[in-house]
Amino acid sequence: MDKHTGKMAADLLHLRGQGLSKGDPVALPLVSSSMFHLPGDPDGAAAYGRVDNPTWEAVEHSLSVLETAPCVAFPSGMAAISAALFATLTAGQTLLIPSDGYYVTRQLSSRFLSRLGVRVIERPTREFADGGFDGIDVVLVESPSNPGLDLCDIKAIAGAVRAAGGKTIVDNTTMTPFGQRPLDLGADVVVASDTKAPGGHSDLLMGHVATRDATIHEAVLDWRKMSGAIPSPHAAWLLHRGLETLELRFDRMCRSAQSIAERLADHPSVAAIRYPGLTRDPSHRLAGQQMTRFGFLIGVTLADRDSAERFIANCHYLRPATSFGGLHSSAERRARWGDMVADGYVRLSIGCEPVDALLEDLMTSLDALR
């Protein structure tokens, strides 16, 4: 752990405690009120549950420490992505998104934004800068891409987009601020699904938008207030608790993923593997430049659909699930959702199990495919 990461993790753990008065609870209280005592003029006091909530404010404060930027919390990652896009786009403008990124972002863009007069362009992540950015108003980057784990140069893209007069949004869900810091690389906005590793326990849905641009920040706040896309106080409370152990969990997940990827790479049942931490990975050099860790996701391509399904089913320590980033390792054959990957492609999300037990389980399942 570098000095900056260590200080950030320590600050996060004691963030609430530094402002406590004698007799205050150390743990964050859960406030679920829809109304607040409000005699006379509002005068900036909490007024209504769609706009104000002390539990949201606490989790936004924690997220702002991680992002070193003001943050706005949302009820899901897609709510955060929607807010960032609606806050930065108007009719007649052009949006560039990854063709191999999260499929719901593509659906939102093609089915709804395009109908509102936004021109939508798609490019694959590895070729994202090809063609330049002239005439493009907003660029949404996903690096590593989900699920293929391709990378693009965030710093170079953000610089080129800014020079062309546009804004760059980076979906940092796969990496968290402990693994990659897009705002420091020049991005205007970061979006993320906190449902994944930040929550960590697979028991909440939340997301956030982070930006150092005051105009965008205010627009995102207004979007939340007017659209009603607000997180539940209980989810915010759970996320606040999860954030306090994120660095610890993320460290173990990344270390385990590195060890596991190195072993899986040479297994005869594995036709191909993607993990930025492998020296043979085509994105390894770029990953070392812009990521502080290599992440906890591994892409494994097996012979076919049946092999992928059998591999997942025969692993005692893998949960077959469509999310990632939890304590429990999980896996999914992503082609079942229509992603542009091979039928035998499996996205592995490495959790917090003891690595030796997990690795033995994975290898035993792979051996059974031979």
Side-chain angles (χ1 to χ4, degrees):
M1 184 193 305
D2 61 66
K3 185 176 181 180
H4 173 75
T5 300
K7 186 177 187 307
M8 185 168 63
D11 286 345
L12 186 64
L13 276 174
H14 291 276
L15 188 62
R16 174 172 165 76
Q18 297 298 328
L20 294 178
S21 299
K22 186 174 182 178
D24 286 344
V26 173
L28 177 67
L30 170 57
V31 178
S32 59
S33 181
S34 62
M35 296 192 298
F36 298 87
H37 185 62
L38 196 66
D41 293 331
D43 297 325
Y48 182 53
R50 181 168 46 79
V51 181
D52 305 293
N53 184 278
T55 311
W56 297 349
E57 293 169 4
V59 80
E60 287 171 341
H61 190 194
S62 294
L63 289 166
S64 71
V65 168
L66 288 177
E67 297 283 11
T68 58
C71 291
V72 183
F74 286 90
S76 68
M78 276 310 304
I81 290 170
S82 299
L85 292 175
F86 276 96
T88 54
L89 283 165
T90 60
Q93 291 188 323
T94 299
L95 167 67
L96 172 63
I97 60 174
S99 60
D100 54 343
Y102 185 44
Y103 76 104
V104 184
T105 302
R106 300 199 307 272
Q107 289 184 326
L108 171 70
S109 301
S110 63
R111 292 177 55 189
F112 293 95
L113 290 175
S114 63
R115 289 168 53 191
L116 297 175
V118 174
R119 177 174 173 244
V120 180
I121 303 172
E122 295 188 11
R123 295 176 188 169
T125 296
R126 291 184 69 180
E127 302 164 13
F128 208 63
D130 292 0
F133 304 100
D134 288 343
I136 298 175
D137 301 281
V138 176
V139 173
L140 192 149
V141 175
E142 192 177 295
S143 179
S145 62
N146 176 25
L149 302 183
D150 272 324
L151 268 65
C152 57
D153 190 328
I154 295 173
K155 184 175 182 180
I157 289 171
V161 171
R162 181 171 288 107
K167 300 290 187 183
T168 301
I169 301 169
V170 176
D171 185 340
N172 201 37
T173 296
T174 60
M175 291 307 301
T176 86
F178 283 115
Q180 184 171 261
R181 306 189 62 76
L183 293 178
D184 292 346
L185 294 171
D188 297 288
V189 182
V190 163
V191 295
S193 171
D194 298 311
T195 306
K196 312 301 194 288
H201 293 73
S202 306
D203 56 4
L204 66 91
L205 289 171
M206 274 196 71
H208 74 270
V209 176
T211 181
R212 295 167 185 163
D213 184 313
T215 300
I216 295 176
H217 178 71
E218 287 302 316
V220 169
L221 277 173
D222 284 344
W223 170 258
R224 183 176 70 178
K225 177 173 64 176
M226 296 172 189
S227 70
I230 58 174
S232 79
H234 185 247
W237 182 83
L238 287 171
L239 177 57
H240 185 273
R241 185 178 63 172
L243 287 173
E244 292 184 332
T245 61
L246 174 57
E247 186 277 327
L248 185 67
R249 291 181 285 104
F250 188 72
D251 177 69
R252 179 158 189 165
M253 293 155 72
C254 292
R255 288 178 185 273
S256 295
Q258 182 73 43
S259 299
I260 289 169
E262 290 171 358
R263 289 289 303 279
L264 297 187
D266 296 322
H267 196 283
S269 294
V270 175
I273 188 167
R274 292 302 309 270
Y275 182 69
L278 295 175
T279 56
R280 71 181 76 175
D281 191 273
S283 298
H284 178 69
R285 178 174 293 184
L286 177 58
Q289 294 171 355
Q290 69 184 21
M291 294 157 60
T292 57
R293 305 297 296 269
F294 294 120
F296 54 82
L297 294 178
I298 304 172
V300 176
T301 303
L302 303 177
D304 49 34
R305 170 178 177 162
D306 179 65
S307 297
E309 296 290 359
R310 286 194 291 130
F311 165 65
I312 297 171
N314 290 335
C315 282
H316 184 66
Y317 297 133
L318 280 185
R319 302 276 59 78
T322 192
S323 192
F324 58 84
L327 290 168
H328 316 88
S329 290
S330 61
E332 181 174 35
R333 189 182 64 82
R334 284 300 300 181
R336 68 181 184 171
W337 296 110
D339 284 316
M340 292 182 290
V341 293
D343 277 346
Y345 182 89
V346 175
R347 183 185 65 194
L348 287 177
S349 174
I350 304 304
C352 292
E353 301 88 354
V355 66
D356 290 342
L358 178 58
L359 180 57
E360 181 181 0
D361 187 39
L362 295 171
M363 297 298 283
T364 298
S365 186
L366 285 174
D367 288 343
L369 300 178
R370 299 172 61 185

